[in-house]
Amino acid sequence: MPAQEKVVSLYEPHTDIIVKDRRQVQYGHKLNLVQGKSRLILDLVIEEGNPADSDQFIPMMERQKEIYGRVPRQTSGDGGYACRANLEKAKAMGISDVAFNKKRGLEVEEMTKSQYVYKTLFRFRAGIEAGISWLKRCFGLSRCHCKGSERFDSHCWLSVVCYNLVILARHPAPS
């Protein structure tokens, strides 16, 4: 029976089976986040099912173009997004530097202008991981007790909004 047809929770039928690499099976939903230089979360996509990360990279960049009218100049992504096709499509879209956490056969010179730019974007992604951890620990994104798909979506978006409000509150006032 296909995974999409399996019911894994009697209380929450919208729950999906999530398999990450060779790790333990998890139940819930896969989220894709976009964070900007300001540390604000700019976009959230709640995926249905368990799509491959590599299939979600270009649609996320296209969403950025739809929302903001342009693609980002530089981007940094998790190793799951890394593949030659994503790199080539991103470059064709006008993204000058694309740094993936895991290279997966890609050379640094193909992805970015220099090793320095790659390391800078690599460190930026590490900061994003810290933000994701903060979202899970402090804003309730690791577990949702709301019933129903719409309430789950609302819970995720409210966690992101609260996170962004705290980031804005911590930002020093202009002098």
Side-chain angles (χ1 to χ4, degrees), residues 162-173:
C162 291
Y163 170 91
N164 282 344
L165 287 173
V166 170
I167 294 294
L168 287 171
R170 290 181 170 188
H171 189 29

Side-chain angles (χ1 to χ4, degrees), residues 79 81-88 98-111 118:
Y81 297 111
C83 71
R84 185 161 305 280
N86 282 344
L87 177 62
E88 290 169 359
V98 181
F100 295 115
N101 181 36
K102 295 178 184 171
K103 297 176 189 164
R104 305 216 179 187
L106 301 170
E107 298 296 324
V108 170
E109 294 78 23
E110 292 176 283
M111 292 188 275
Y118 179 80

Side-chain angles (χ1 to χ4, degrees), residues 10 14-15 37-38 40 47 57 64 66 99 104 131 136 145 148 152 158 163:
L10 296 174
H14 62 90
T15 301
K37 187 177 180 181
S38 62
L40 293 173
E47 302 292 348
F57 182 74
Q64 294 307 294
E66 282 178 33
R104 305 216 179 187
K136 288 178 177 179
H145 298 286
F152 175 81
L158 285 171
Y163 170 91

Side-chain angles (χ1 to χ4, degrees), residues 5-114:
E5 295 178 19
K6 292 181 181 178
V7 176
V8 294
S9 173
L10 296 174
Y11 301 102
E12 294 298 322
H14 62 90
T15 301
D16 296 322
I17 300 170
I18 309 294
V19 181
K20 291 185 172 187
D21 203 20
R22 291 173 213 91
R23 292 179 272 175
Q24 201 171 20
V25 174
Q26 297 177 347
Y27 302 98
H29 292 284
K30 192 179 256 191
L31 305 178
N32 281 312
L33 296 167
V34 175
Q35 186 177 26
K37 187 177 180 181
S38 62
R39 293 183 44 213
L40 293 173
I41 295 175
L42 305 175
D43 195 13
L44 165 69
V45 174
I46 302 166
E47 302 292 348
E48 288 196 25
N50 187 25
D53 285 347
S54 59
D55 295 339
Q56 303 309 309
F57 182 74
I58 295 301
M60 290 300 290
M61 294 300 106
E62 289 170 348
R63 276 179 62 92
Q64 294 307 294
K65 188 172 184 176
E66 282 178 33
I67 295 169
Y68 300 105
R70 64 179 178 83
V71 293
R73 184 172 50 88
Q74 297 175 316
T75 185
S76 180
D78 192 65
Y81 297 111
C83 71
R84 185 161 305 280
N86 282 344
L87 177 62
E88 290 169 359
K89 288 176 186 172
K91 294 280 185 169
M93 291 173 79
I95 302 172
S96 62
D97 298 306
V98 181
F100 295 115
N101 181 36
K102 295 178 184 171
K103 297 176 189 164
R104 305 216 179 187
L106 301 170
E107 298 296 324
V108 170
E109 294 78 23
E110 292 176 283
M111 292 188 275
T112 61
K113 290 182 252 243
S114 66

